């Protein structure tokens, strides 16, 4: 499973990129707003740090606006993936982008049939929002399972990108279910790394190392 980091914070991206564990980056308007700089500037900077798919979301909600913005975003860097909301005009735009070789991440997916339509339109990635489904007292991971199964059954090339990941078990389940990608907040990537037995084991090794006779 590929790991993307879900942030527009350059320090967070640099931190995990230096560990070699990050294959790409996803952003959304909320995350870009937190970065406090224009979208194109932030995306350009991210492309300098990570050599992998970098999702940048269009802000228009009409077909012409999405196509215009998506084409502009795709010119920033060859690694840019245009993120498009899962609405009718969005799928029309995805169809155009697919015909022009522009990769897309169809976002705000909350049902398996939305995901099937996005695949038919030619989406490169589909983003089921797992955490936000959990927030509604439903089981977000069921959607990941359904999308993986439907795409496999019919041979769609669209990759399932588990999004709105909130905690380590979301990542474990995404991996078990065969999601192609999980986009994970910086804090959760560090939670995945941490184990108290690693820390206590290392502390004991360092204590014992002091007992090793010196030459
Ligand atoms: O990738 C989508 C993600 O950023 C949404 O996460 O936690 O706002 O539901 P969240």
């Amino acid at each position: 499973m590929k790991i993307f980091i879900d942030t527009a914070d350059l320090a967070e991206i640099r931190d995990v990129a230096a560990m070699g564990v990050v294959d790409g980056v996803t952003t959304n308007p909320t995350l870009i707003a937190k970065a406090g700089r224009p979208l194109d500037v932030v995306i350009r900077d991210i492309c300098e740090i990570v050599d992998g798919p970098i999702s940048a979301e269009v802000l228009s909600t009409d077909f012409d606006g999405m196509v215009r913005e998506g084409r502009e975003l795709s010119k920033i860097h060859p690694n840019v993936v245009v993120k498009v909301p899962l609405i009718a005009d969005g799928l029309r735009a995805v169809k155009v982008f697919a015909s022009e070789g522009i990769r897309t991440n169809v976002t705000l997916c909350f049902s398996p049939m939305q995901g099937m339509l996005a695949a038919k339109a030619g989406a490169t990635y589909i983003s089921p929002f797992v955490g936000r489904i959990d927030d509604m007292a439903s089981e977000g991971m069921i959607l990941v399972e359904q999308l993986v199964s439907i795409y496999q059954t019919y041979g769609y090339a669209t990759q399932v990108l588990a999004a709105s990941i909130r905690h380590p078990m979301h990542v474990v389940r995404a991996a078990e279910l065969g999601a192609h990608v999980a986009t994970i907040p910086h804090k959760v990537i560090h939670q995945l790394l941490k184990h108290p037995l690693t820390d206590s084991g290392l502390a004991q090794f360092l204590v014992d190392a002091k007992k090793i006779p010196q030459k």
Side-chain angles (χ1 to χ4, degrees):
M1 184 175 70
K2 291 210 163 27
I3 289 182
F4 292 179
I5 183 168
D6 195 26
T7 186
D9 182 315
L10 299 186
E12 289 184 352
I13 296 168
R14 282 196 191 97
D15 176 57
V16 291
M19 289 189 280
V21 298
V22 162
D23 302 298
V25 180
T26 52
T27 66
N28 62 36
T30 307
L31 296 170
I32 296 286
K34 278 191 202 152
R37 293 185 305 142
L39 172 64
D40 59 328
V41 175
V42 177
I43 295 298
R44 200 167 281 117
D45 284 351
I46 294 174
C47 290
E48 292 297 313
I49 302 170
V50 174
D51 183 17
I54 312 295
S55 288
E57 189 159 342
V58 296
L59 304 177
S60 299
T61 53
D62 64 293
F63 171 75
D64 289 334
M66 280 190 262
V67 169
R68 189 179 58 249
E69 272 185 55
R71 285 178 181 151
E72 284 306 310
L73 289 169
S74 73
K75 283 183 202 149
I76 294 175
H77 193 282
N79 283 344
V80 168
V81 173
V82 177
K83 207 167 172 186
V84 178
L86 212 164
I87 56 178
D89 274 18
L91 294 193
R92 290 186 192 112
V94 166
K95 182 171 185 286
V96 170
F97 292 140
S99 73
E100 295 177 358
I102 295 173
R103 290 179 297 165
T104 52
N105 175 357
V106 176
T107 188
L108 293 164
C109 176
F110 293 96
S111 84
M113 285 304 107
Q114 282 184 312
M116 195 167 96
L117 295 177
K120 291 184 82 71
T124 313
Y125 300 99
I126 185 74
S127 285
F129 272 34
V130 173
R132 292 193 194 183
I133 297 175
D134 289 359
D135 290 343
M136 304 297 286
S138 279
E139 182 55 71
M141 277 300 162
I142 291 175
L143 177 56
V144 171
E145 189 171 21
Q146 289 170 317
L147 291 168
V148 168
S149 157
I150 291 167
Y151 289 177
Q152 218 162 41
T153 300
Y154 294 104
Y156 291 120
T158 305
Q159 297 184 44
V160 178
L161 192 167
S164 184
I165 295 279
R166 304 275 177 76
H167 53 71
M169 279 313 292
H170 274 155
V171 185
V172 173
R173 287 298 291 143
E176 286 174 342
L177 293 171
H180 303 86
V181 188
T183 189
I184 313 174
H186 178 262
K187 177 184 156 204
V188 178
I189 294 178
H190 274 274
Q191 286 176 317
L192 293 172
L193 179 64
K194 195 85 182 152
H195 199 291
L197 291 180
T198 304
D199 295 341
S200 60
L202 178 59
Q204 187 62 50
F205 285 154
L206 294 177
V207 166
D208 293 342
K210 294 205 177 85
K211 301 171 196 159
I212 299 171
Q214 302 297 310
K215 279 190 212 159

